[in-house]
Amino acid sequence: MLVSKFANEIEEQPQNLQRLIDKIPLIKGNLSKIRSKNPRIVFFGMGSSFYAAISPAYLFISHGIEANFFDASEILCYASDEWFRKFDIVVFITQSGETSEIKSLIDRIAGFKNLMKVVITAHPESYVAKKADIVIDTYSDEEKSIGATKTYVNSVIAAFIFVLSFTEEYEKEIDFIRQMPYEIMNSIKKANKNVEMILNIKTADDFDSSVIS
């Protein structure tokens, strides 16, 4: 049953990502509130949302903008209040917007008036979203399987859109993102063909060779 749900959510990925991409003008409009052209940025997340923060942080760095990423629970335990003053923008990535560590962290910095709080979430009415200055909806819907398929991909792409809004080559680079639903759809079709081929193999030796390939 879980495998079936997991497969269904993979199949839904292109259309869910397209929903996010259709909202790029809205997202960019909301980000116009950010006046700083060269801010110091830090990403926070837990679990797969933490990993979704890594690539966007490095994309910022590749454009010469100071950025970093941290597990929210570690910062909650070990960072001092003074540490947060090193940054201009904090970005929380959280699928539910109700993760306890993220809630505690955003509450802790609520009074830091010069620290802009951005939340990337699938639930724009959640606790964390209501505490944010800017909310970016991932439009990834509910996850019904174990794997965070739609959430992870849409969180990464939402964060990329956030990053690219600071770059001088926005229009050129955003075109690559607009092509992604098509590319993902083609990848899913190829994967389905490969799985079908493996399931049709008759001998154990051929099966082992195909799986290794």
Side-chain angles (χ1 to χ4, degrees), residues 15 56 58-59 62 68 81 95 99 101 124 147 153 166 177 184 196 212:
Q15 65 192 41
Y58 279 117
L59 183 58
S62 73
N68 215 324
D81 286 354
Q95 193 272 344
T99 306
E101 294 87 351
V153 174
F166 288 87
I177 288 179
I184 291 174
E196 186 177 344
I212 291 169

Side-chain angles (χ1 to χ4, degrees), residues 44-158:
F44 297 115
M46 291 289 295
S48 61
S49 292
F50 164 71
Y51 292 105
I54 297 174
S55 296
Y58 279 117
L59 183 58
F60 262 128
I61 293 168
S62 73
H63 283 282
I65 297 174
E66 184 179 340
N68 215 324
F69 53 90
F70 294 96
D71 182 286
S73 62
E74 292 184 2
I75 295 302
L76 193 60
C77 292
Y78 300 115
S80 65
D81 286 354
E82 191 61 30
W83 180 82
F84 289 96
R85 302 188 192 282
K86 299 190 299 183
F87 304 102
D88 303 303
I89 300 173
V90 292
V91 183
F92 298 95
I93 301 181
T94 165
Q95 193 272 344
S96 67
E98 301 289 345
T99 306
S100 59
E101 294 87 351
I102 300 291
K103 288 167 68 175
S104 296
L105 199 54
I106 201 167
D107 281 343
R108 181 176 170 184
I109 63 173
F112 291 32
K113 301 302 181 184
N114 295 326
L115 194 55
M116 177 164 279
K117 303 157 197 75
V118 178
V119 170
I120 297 174
T121 181
H123 296 275
E125 299 301 321
S126 62
Y127 181 91
V128 175
K130 290 176 180 176
K131 298 276 185 172
D133 299 305
I134 295 174
V135 178
I136 301 177
D137 191 339
T138 62
Y139 299 93
S140 51
D141 292 336
E142 180 185 359
E143 295 283 3
K144 303 180 185 68
S145 66
I146 293 174
T149 53
K150 298 176 293 188
T151 297
Y152 179 79
V153 174
N154 281 33
S155 294
V156 172
I157 300 305

Side-chain angles (χ1 to χ4, degrees), residues 11-25 27 137-140 150 153-154 157 161 175-185:
E11 296 281 355
E12 291 171 4
Q13 182 62 71
Q15 65 192 41
N16 275 77
L17 183 54
Q18 187 61 57
R19 289 176 63 204
L20 171 62
I21 290 170
D22 289 342
K23 299 296 183 179
I24 286 177
I27 295 170
D137 191 339
T138 62
Y139 299 93
S140 51
K150 298 176 293 188
V153 174
N154 281 33
I157 300 305
I161 295 167
D175 279 342
F176 290 108
I177 288 179
R178 290 192 175 104
Q179 295 169 22
M180 288 193 69
Y182 173 78
E183 297 295 338
I184 291 174
M185 194 178 301

